[in-house]
């Protein structure tokens, strides 16, 4: 699936880049073409105006120099009978070519004409002076055609077309290579998300399969001895109840995470005094801790934050429950709250088994458990810390954990202080 998606992204990126190159090349070519031919037209018009303002017939004298030494512009002079009197440069074009220029120039507008495989710009006009009065002996031209070669402009445009074509080919190759690279980069988070989703589904199925199998097996055992009393089957019934509760908690956690992913779970924010809430939780867990000979040391400074009381209770229950599960008998748990200048910091520290350094970066991942056998025995699902992290972030706080094997684990949660 990912290979197909990657190929589609490559094609899409390549098509977009090629279109950009083609459009950019077309705009550049059109602009340069317009500027070049516009300059040619301006040059021809300026020449005709200059000729009309001076004596055109003087250019017909034998000793008159050629007006355009670079031979890009040619001039043709006809008399009243339509006979070609002269041309500059001399003998550059045949009479047939000159006649063709005259036919095109008769329109009085700038026109293009192709002669001998070359393109020219042509403009014809009539001599505004009917006769040269100061020297009647000079030959008289009644019609003039100005012809300018477009060879230089066409060469520039041909070079530009070649460059644009080469750039397009290079652009296509580059876009394909860049497309594969960018598509691969773009698919990394998608692939990672897909892998996590697949792993999440697999882990959820596995976690649900265990209590379901236990409940099914124990229920079948009950039906094998329908004459037994509840007291006789109390062990099986107790196990069914335990696994049912475990499965119910797992389903609740899964629903919570699903709602957080879809942003359906909202925080009902209000000003909350953390001290009474933390004190109440500490007292509840002290009763549980006594059964394991674990002491809970608590100290809470007055503190007020903006948050959801039920979610905050859920957060600290998760952390205290984990601390209680993984602290051996005769251990201790520190549960404190400090009011800092810009934040409220809550610390849950235990003297338990600790978390391996390799496991620390993953403890907030869903279904991740460093010691799977022990955490499953303790009834853990591997979702508690993921929910805890979401609650902290939903309150615009941060959570940090440090741990050492056989020494203990410390969770530090910081919340922004209410202004």
């Amino acid at each position: 699936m990912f290979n197909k998606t990657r190929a589609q992204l490559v094609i899409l990126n390549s098509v977009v880049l090629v279109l950009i190159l083609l459009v950019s090349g077309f705009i550049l070519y059109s602009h340069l073409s317009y500027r070049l031919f516009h300059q040619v037209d301006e040059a021809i018009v300026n020449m005709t105006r200059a000729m009309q303002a001076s004596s055109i017939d003087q250019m017909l004298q034998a000793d008159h120099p050629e007006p355009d030494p670079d031979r890009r512009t040619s001039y043709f002079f006809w008399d009243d009978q339509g006979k070609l009197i002269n041309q500059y440069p001399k003998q550059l074009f045949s009479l047939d070519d000159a006649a063709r220029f005259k036919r095109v120039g008769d329109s009085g507008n700038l026109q293009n004409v192709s002669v001998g495989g070359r393109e020219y710009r042509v403009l014809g006009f009539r001599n505004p002076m009917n006769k040269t009065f100061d020297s009647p002996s000079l030959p008289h031209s009644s019609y003039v055609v100005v012809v300018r070669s477009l060879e230089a402009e066409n060469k520039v445009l041909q070079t530009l077309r070649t460059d644009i074509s080469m750039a397009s080919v290079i652009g296509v190759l580059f876009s394909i290579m860049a497309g594969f690279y960018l598509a691969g980069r773009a698919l990394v988070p998608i692939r990672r998300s897909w892998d996590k989703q697949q792993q999440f589904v697999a882990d959820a199925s596995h976690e649900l399969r265990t209590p379901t199998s236990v409940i099914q097996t124990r229920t079948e055992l009950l039906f094998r001895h329908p004459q037994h009393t509840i007291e006789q089957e109390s062990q099986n019934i107790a196990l069914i109840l335990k696994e049912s509760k475990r499965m119910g908690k797992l389903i609740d956690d899964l629903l919570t995470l699903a709602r957080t992913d879809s942003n359906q779970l909202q925080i009902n924010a209000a000003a909350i005094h953390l001290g009474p809430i933390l004190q109440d939780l500490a007292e509840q867990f002290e009763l549980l801790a006594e059964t394991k000979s674990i002491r809970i040391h608590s100290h809470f400074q007055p503190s007020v934050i903006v948050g959801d009381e039920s979610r905050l209770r859920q957060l600290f229950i998760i952390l205290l429950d984990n601390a209680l599960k993984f602290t051996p008998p005769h251990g201790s748990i520190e549960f404190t709250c400090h009011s800092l200048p810009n934040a409220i910091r809550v610390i849950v520290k235990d003297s338990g088994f600790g978390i391996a350094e390799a496991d620390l970066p993953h403890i907030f991942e869903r279904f991740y458990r460093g010691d799977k056998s022990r955490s499953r025995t303790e009834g853990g699902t591997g979702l508690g810390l993921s929910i805890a992290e979401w609650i902290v972030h939903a309150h615009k706080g941060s959570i940090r954990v440090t741990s050492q094997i056989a020494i203990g684990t410390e969770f530090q949660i910081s919340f922004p202080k209410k202004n």
Side-chain angles (χ1 to χ4, degrees), residues 196 361-369 382-383 385-386 389:
K196 285 185 176 180
H362 307 286
I363 62 172
F364 295 108
E365 295 178 7
R366 299 173 185 184
F367 290 111
Y368 187 86
R369 291 175 295 199
L383 298 176
L385 289 179
S386 297
E389 184 185 41

Side-chain angles (χ1 to χ4, degrees), residues 8 12 28 35 43 47 53 56 79 129 148-149 154 166 172-173 190 194 203 221 229 255 263 312 341 353 367 374:
Q8 291 173 343
L12 179 60
L28 175 62
R35 294 299 303 169
M47 290 174 189
I56 294 176
D79 59 14
M129 299 180 184
R148 187 173 179 88
S149 173
N154 287 332
M166 292 179 61
V172 170
L173 297 176
I190 299 175
W194 175 263
D203 290 339
L221 289 175
T229 64
L255 288 175
N263 296 320
L312 290 172
F353 304 113
F367 290 111
R374 185 172 67 224

Side-chain angles (χ1 to χ4, degrees), residues 277-287 296 298 300 320 335:
I277 297 174
L278 300 179
Q279 185 64 47
D280 181 48
L281 292 175
E283 292 174 358
Q284 292 180 28
F285 274 87
E286 281 177 359
L287 298 175
I296 296 181
S298 60
F300 311 113
L320 289 171
F335 187 28

